[in-house]
Amino acid sequence: MELPAPLRQTVDRLLEGTPLAVLQQAARTLSERYRAELRDGRLHMADDLAVKAYLAARLPATYAAVRASLDALAEALPAFSPKTLLDIGAGPGTVLWATAGMWPGLERATLVEASAAVRKTGAWLAGESGLNVETDWIGADATLELDGPAPADLVTAAYMLDEIAPASLPKLVDRLWALTADTLLIVEPGTPAGWQRIIEVRRRLIETGAHVLAPCPHEQPCPIGPPDWCHFSRRVARSRVHRLTKDADVPWEDEKFVFVAASREPAARHQARVLAPPRPGSGKVALKLCQPDGQAQERLFTRRDGDAFKRARRADWGDSLPS
């Protein structure tokens, strides 16, 4: 997966003239902050250079993770077609681009982002790239100032819960759900810590009466336990500037992520979810599945399983598996 061409070209224009060594150092600093999950009162992207580092080093991967999560949401709720989007912790509009690509009928987007530098860049990217969505950028702290936005068909928060104090998470989830007219999507890094946050969000949403759409095929307690954790992966194509910024030789990278999508409407149907890379063999394939009955287990499919084997052989990590 790669960025939409208009966005990629506009990002490249913005990065022109920034010395590579400066961009690489800023990307390393940004990556260190993300990995350490720092909550030191400073914004990860407080200035223009940090924003450029994000665009060069992180935007392709976060876009891919969000788009993959939206794909799963759309599969679970085929009739869903949002006209309005509310994105909390919007960054430079990563979710906006993924959503507009998924649902071209998106009309309006409200983007809440604390960093003025990020808001400025996000608005410029949307305008210069010709994104045909009416946007409203709001400067606000997601943990303190969510009284202004109106409810939206789709509410999202991607890669931002690591900046929230754990004690503030339940209140934030309640507020996000109150702003959700139809469907809520939360995406986090595919780390054990990110998964634990998603588990807490999922539990809170179920308590409020939300219907879990994906990735879980049930609303029972998560059957996965440490040291294992639930997460998924999406391969991302690296552009030239992406490779140079990360000083990488390989033209791709794998972004690990985890998510939960919940709606005021139940899923059309629940199907098992593939929780790990398939293990193929001669005339067989083993899949680790999260199942509608609330259990997670490895299942072996052989040629004798007929059509079920054919479906299992085509399945990949993160796919749903029709029964």
Side-chain angles (χ1 to χ4, degrees):
M1 180 175 287
E2 59 184 0
L3 295 176
L7 177 59
R8 185 178 68 251
Q9 293 162 3
T10 307
V11 167
D12 288 347
R13 283 170 48 202
L14 182 63
L15 297 178
E16 287 178 1
T18 304
L20 178 60
V22 173
L23 199 57
Q24 288 175 329
Q25 180 55 55
R28 284 192 291 269
T29 299
L30 185 63
S31 178
E32 289 167 2
R33 289 188 62 83
Y34 279 133
R35 289 177 179 173
E37 297 192 353
L38 289 179
R39 302 187 186 98
D40 57 2
R42 295 192 295 124
L43 298 172
H44 290 336
M45 291 185 283
D47 56 39
D48 291 341
L49 182 57
V51 178
K52 288 181 177 180
Y54 172 88
L55 296 177
R58 286 297 301 153
L59 177 62
T62 53
Y63 173 88
V66 170
R67 183 57 191 262
S69 303
L70 290 173
D71 286 340
L73 187 165
E75 182 184 38
L77 208 62
F80 182 58
S81 182
K83 299 297 184 184
T84 55
L85 167 70
L86 171 60
D87 186 25
I88 308 301
T94 311
V95 172
L96 169 62
W97 280 92
T99 306
M102 172 67 70
W103 292 289
L106 183 70
E107 297 174 354
R108 299 189 310 278
T110 301
L111 302 107
V112 178
E113 169 57 49
S115 168
V118 178
R119 295 196 305 274
K120 180 185 70 174
T121 299
W124 185 85
L125 288 173
E128 290 293 307
S129 303
L131 188 64
N132 190 28
V133 179
E134 179 185 339
T135 58
D136 180 21
W137 291 82
I138 297 176
D141 183 329
T143 61
L144 302 174
E145 306 169 280
L146 281 185
D147 295 329
D153 298 336
L154 176 63
V155 176
T156 56
Y159 287 77
M160 57 83 68
L161 296 187
D162 65 318
E163 301 178 52
I164 305 299
S168 300
L169 186 58
K171 182 179 179 180
L172 175 62
V173 173
D174 290 349
R175 185 61 184 140
L176 293 178
W177 184 241
L179 289 166
T180 301
D182 194 305
T183 299
L184 171 66
L185 173 68
I186 297 181
V187 187
E188 281 289 285
T191 61
W195 170 63
Q196 287 290 346
R197 288 190 289 270
I198 288 293
I199 288 296
E200 286 303 307
V201 170
R202 178 183 182 272
R203 180 188 60 79
R204 188 78 177 186
L205 288 171
I206 291 172
E207 288 177 352
T208 66
H211 299 281
V212 174
L213 299 179
C216 317
H218 59 83
E219 293 176 0
Q220 299 180 50
C222 180
I224 306 298
D228 195 6
W229 73 99
C230 182
H231 64 293
F232 307 99
S233 180
R234 179 55 60 99
R235 181 149 292 184
V236 181
R238 283 174 169 157
S239 66
R240 179 177 178 275
V241 69
H242 190 177
R243 292 198 305 273
L244 290 174
T245 301
K246 303 191 89 168
D247 196 20
D249 297 322
V250 180
W252 49 264
E253 66 181 48
D254 291 325
E255 175 68 5
K256 304 297 194 301
F257 66 99
V258 62
F259 70 99
V260 63
S263 179
R264 298 192 181 278
E265 297 294 329
R269 55 180 173 170
H270 282 302
Q271 300 175 339
R273 182 78 56 184
V274 182
L275 296 181
R279 295 194 300 110
S282 179
K284 63 183 180 181
V285 61
L287 299 180
K288 182 180 178 182
L289 299 173
C290 187
Q291 303 180 134
D293 65 2
Q295 301 299 310
Q297 62 182 24
E298 185 170 274
R299 182 177 171 187
L300 181 66
F301 295 84
T302 68
R303 294 188 187 278
R304 286 181 292 182
D305 293 312
D307 289 342
F309 169 68
K310 294 178 182 178
R311 290 191 293 270
R313 189 172 55 180
R314 292 192 298 266
D316 200 359
W317 185 7
D319 287 351
S320 60
L321 185 70
S323 56

